[in-house]
Amino acid sequence: MRLQALSIPLLLSLLSSSTAYTQISDDLLKTLIPNPSDTDFDLSPSNADSLLGPLLITRVPGTPGQRAAQEHFTRFATKHIPEWKLSWQNSSSPTPLSKGNPVPFHNIILRREPPWARKRGEGNVGLLTLAAHYDSKMIQGGDFIGATDSAAPCAVLMWVARELEKVLGRLWGDGEDGTGEGVQILLLDGEEAFVSWTDTDSLYGSRALAAAWENTTYPALSTFRNPLRQISLFVLLDLLGSPNPNVPSYFQTTHWAYQRMATLEGRLRGLGLLESKPMHPFLPDGAKMATEFTRAFIGDDHEPFMKRGAPVLHLIPSPFPEVWHRLEDDGAHLDMATVRDWARITLAFVLEWLDAGKLEKIQT
Ligand SMILES: [Zn+2]
């Protein structure tokens, strides 16, 4: 009896990760991918209703800008996605500029688990994990905003969470017997180096979070041993919002996930649901062959998680935007059609991952 109780969640989790998802039909894509409003990505920092505007300030750890960004996130979560559990993972560390004093780093975790997670208890449902860093780089001699780095990716994730929540009730119902994963959003602090990028002067927030999760153990009979193992896919958005992004497929192990997103980009463009007119697809590597992958990758917040075994989809353009780490990386230099299209593509990817294709059947 006890053994059976153990094997059911295990079996369900195996099923949910291996069953073929339903492709979202064209008609359903048209209804599920809305157009962002004018307010959603408004550039004015004083527009509290904009997801993006209030982030277009300097957000250096240990400064008032960091706290203003945090307040923007918590206010958003309370108002728009109260169903999501908000938690903090805090740490502190000296930096090369802090003269031995600790600088605070605060990661924010927004987690939405399906109703069947309640019955099964902690650590039994996988989590699609979407991440971006909200700190901005300290640059001497000017106010560096970091609009692509990574204010816009954070705003994209907020928009995705809000629009996704409008669908989850219908998709998940109240049933405790469903299958499939939940989703979490990581708003990471302290990605940037204070002086120059080294193993210790960079990734302050993500290093602390990955280590903390590795040391958090779920109950013995849980499907997943700890929150790190719970990550079904770690999708990292960074340096997004400049026109004509070229985002390669970096990892052969997650190329299948890249292909899913690239296919969705193509379908959304075909259906006229994207507004940018780039010179090439954002995700041009769908047909990349196994032999073409190298061991090269870009250092970023995925590293501490990848090192510990999490599968990673890194959405960062190569080459980097022209404005990278220059004072020009501000709201005025964002290409808003590109920002909104990243929001639409990411939402489509998440919906497909959560098997929203089956909504067709629920509705009829
Ligand atoms: Zn940066």
Side-chain angles (χ1 to χ4, degrees), residues 270-306:
L271 292 168
L273 296 175
L274 300 184
E275 60 181 298
S276 63
K277 300 273 180 281
M279 296 182 296
H280 50 75
F282 293 0
L283 302 159
D285 268 0
K288 190 167 178 174
M289 306 295 287
T291 50
E292 297 176 272
F293 286 89
T294 65
R295 297 177 70 86
F297 67 95
I298 296 166
D300 206 344
D301 280 322
H302 61 298
E303 269 189 271
F305 296 87
M306 195 166 77

Side-chain angles (χ1 to χ4, degrees), residues 218-231:
Y218 285 138
L221 299 183
S222 307
T223 308
F224 302 101
R225 193 199 302 164
N226 61 44
L228 263 179
R229 300 294 183 93
Q230 214 173 354
I231 298 171

Side-chain angles (χ1 to χ4, degrees), residues 133 137 144 149 191-192 238-239 324-325:
H133 77 85
K137 185 167 177 59
F144 176 74
D149 189 7
E191 188 265 353
E192 301 284 7
D238 201 359
L239 303 183
W324 179 67
H325 285 188

Side-chain angles (χ1 to χ4, degrees), residues 119-130:
K119 189 165 123 192
R120 289 186 214 156
E122 248 193 338
N124 285 302
V125 172
L127 291 168
L128 173 61
T129 301
L130 310 166

